[in-house]
Amino acid sequence: MEYTILGILLMIIMLLYFKVADYFNIIDKPNQRSSHTEITLRGGGIIFWFSALLYFVRHINNNYFFFTGITLVSLVSFWDDIQSLSNKIRIGIHFLSITLIFYDLNLFHLMPVWGVIVSYTLAIGLINAYNFMDGINGITGLYTLVVMESLLYVNTKIQLFTDGMFIKYAMLASLVFLFFNYRKRAKCFAGDVGSIAIAFWVIYFVVKLILVTESLIWLLFLAVYGVDAVCTIMHRLYLKQNIFEAHRLHLYQILSNEYKIQHRLVSLFYALAQTGISLLVILLYQKVQDSLIFLIVILPLLLIYSSKFYLLNKNNLRLNHGA
């Protein structure tokens, strides 16, 4: 009953946001990176912050560091959705917000200096990877649902590391967002405020789980996004491109743009791939060495990603033949 009421409340908030976004002309205009062609309302992912707010209101005594952090990244991201900000300001706010949750999780006392530096690098990298991967209808919502469901299963069946309701609030926000976004013609896009806010939420859970279990294996709950984002950055560096400029070189973009596969199918493929990996990680946890699990997961993903280059070459040959 509680979750039904919460879902209805989030739905009402989303509909009210549509009115505000329409009035203030908060829209997403297609650009070089875009995989869509229509002007669409932007910032629908603000529903993730509202869901965090509703949870915070009920758990104010032990949730203020996380809520302060997600509020900071949401504010700067929403502002960036409306009017572009410099990378220095955005990264600075991301660093401050990550510091808040690291302090909350007592990470500075649990890890050596080099571990803290690696943690900052991974956290800020994952935030931006989540943002880079938010490019087609449904991908952020579906992928987030898979990640949160995996975390909820671990929290329930393997290792209690947080309040289960906290995870479910994020899942409900994802479902409400998907109702408007997982369509042939989306009613809204997440915007930076959505992809970065939910990435912050995911990072909080993953880092907390890693610290509780003393295992890095849970990073593989983000393996599909991680491999695509990191490999694409390396590809662009090889091409001597500015990695901060718009592009269409992610594997999901090649599938959607060059091969015209329906966005929702590509998003579903990414979600299903991560579902399989998460199940494998859960099954192998404490049965196989962590390093071996990483190899079992990452090597096939690299092979799948490498198919992008075959697809690009094939598409170029097709275009040249057509010319």
Side-chain angles (χ1 to χ4, degrees):
M1 184 66 179
E2 176 186 351
Y3 296 117
T4 301
I5 295 172
L6 176 62
I8 293 172
L9 183 56
L10 290 174
M11 188 72 73
I12 292 171
I13 290 172
M14 184 68 103
L15 292 172
L16 289 174
Y17 173 74
F18 287 170
K19 297 290 185 182
V20 173
D22 188 53
Y23 181 81
F24 288 102
N25 201 35
I26 305 174
I27 57 174
D28 190 295
K29 294 181 179 179
N31 58 30
Q32 183 183 350
R33 174 193 167 194
S34 301
S35 296
H36 62 283
T37 56
E38 304 88 3
I39 294 176
T40 309
L41 290 179
R42 192 174 196 178
I46 199 171
I47 197 65
F48 294 113
W49 179 83
F50 275 108
S51 189
L53 171 63
L54 293 174
Y55 182 82
F56 175 67
V57 168
R58 296 193 58 185
H59 304 82
I60 192 170
N61 293 329
N62 58 3
N63 196 43
Y64 44 89
F65 282 109
F66 169 82
F67 183 70
T68 301
I70 199 171
T71 298
L72 287 173
V73 295
S74 296
L75 280 173
V76 74
S77 300
F78 190 64
W79 184 262
D80 195 39
D81 281 332
I82 299 172
Q83 181 178 337
S84 294
L85 292 175
S86 72
N87 290 325
K88 291 181 180 178
I89 293 176
R90 289 189 293 106
I91 296 297
I93 295 297
H94 293 172
F95 185 86
L96 174 59
S97 300
I98 291 296
T99 300
L100 289 173
I101 59 172
F102 280 2
Y103 178 80
D104 184 46
L105 297 174
N106 203 31
L107 182 140
F108 299 112
H109 293 96
L110 296 173
M111 283 193 173
V113 174
W114 67 266
V116 172
I117 294 173
V118 171
S119 297
Y120 269 111
T121 304
L122 282 173
I124 293 176
L126 284 171
I127 283 179
N128 285 281
Y130 229 89
N131 189 31
F132 293 156
M133 296 299 295
D134 179 38
I136 56 176
N137 299 355
I139 194 166
T140 293
L142 286 178
Y143 195 84
T144 298
L145 269 183
V146 170
V147 174
M148 291 298 177
E149 181 61 39
S150 303
L151 290 167
L152 183 62
Y153 181 87
V154 172
N155 191 61
T156 305
K157 302 291 186 179
I158 299 177
Q159 173 66 61
L160 181 68
F161 67 94
T162 192
D163 177 17
M165 186 181 293
F166 198 5
I167 302 175
K168 291 176 182 177
Y169 269 58
M171 294 175 68
L172 277 171
S174 298
L175 287 170
V176 171
F177 175 69
L178 279 170
F179 179 79
F180 297 102
N181 179 255
Y182 193 59
R183 307 179 180 208
K184 186 174 182 180
R185 182 172 180 179
K187 296 290 184 182
C188 68
F189 296 139
D192 287 357
V193 65
S195 58
I196 290 177
I198 195 58
F200 185 82
W201 209 331
V202 167
I203 288 166
Y204 179 79
F205 286 146
V206 171
V207 171
K208 192 170 186 178
L209 180 56
I210 287 172
L211 293 175
V212 170
T213 61
E214 298 183 347
S215 173
L216 292 172
I217 206 68
W218 312 113
L219 286 171
L220 292 174
F221 281 175
L222 298 164
V224 175
Y225 264 21
V227 168
D228 195 319
V230 171
C231 288
T232 300
I233 288 174
M234 293 175 65
H235 182 201
R236 298 194 70 207
L237 289 173
Y238 173 77
L239 295 174
K240 298 181 180 180
Q241 296 180 356
N242 183 343
I243 63 173
F244 296 106
E245 290 182 352
H247 71 96
R248 291 165 62 148
L249 282 177
H250 285 291
L251 176 58
Y252 77 85
Q253 291 172 318
I254 302 300
L255 295 173
S256 300
N257 301 325
E258 310 304 330
Y259 285 84
K260 308 302 179 185
I261 300 175
Q262 193 177 102
H263 290 193
R264 289 172 293 173
L265 287 177
V266 176
S267 297
L268 184 61
F269 168 74
Y270 270 69
L272 290 175
Q274 185 58 60
T275 299
I277 289 169
S278 296
L279 287 173
L280 184 64
V281 170
I282 290 168
L283 288 172
L284 297 181
Y285 175 60
Q286 292 187 331
K287 296 183 181 70
V288 178
Q289 286 187 347
D290 286 3
S291 57
L292 183 56
I293 298 175
F294 270 95
L295 286 175
I296 291 171
V297 170
I298 298 300
L299 290 180
L301 283 179
L302 290 173
L303 183 62
I304 292 172
Y305 181 85
S306 67
S307 68
K308 181 186 83 169
F309 302 104
Y310 168 76
L311 294 173
L312 283 172
N313 289 333
K314 183 179 179 182
N315 191 61
N316 287 335
L317 288 173
R318 185 174 59 191
L319 289 175
N320 292 334
H321 180 73

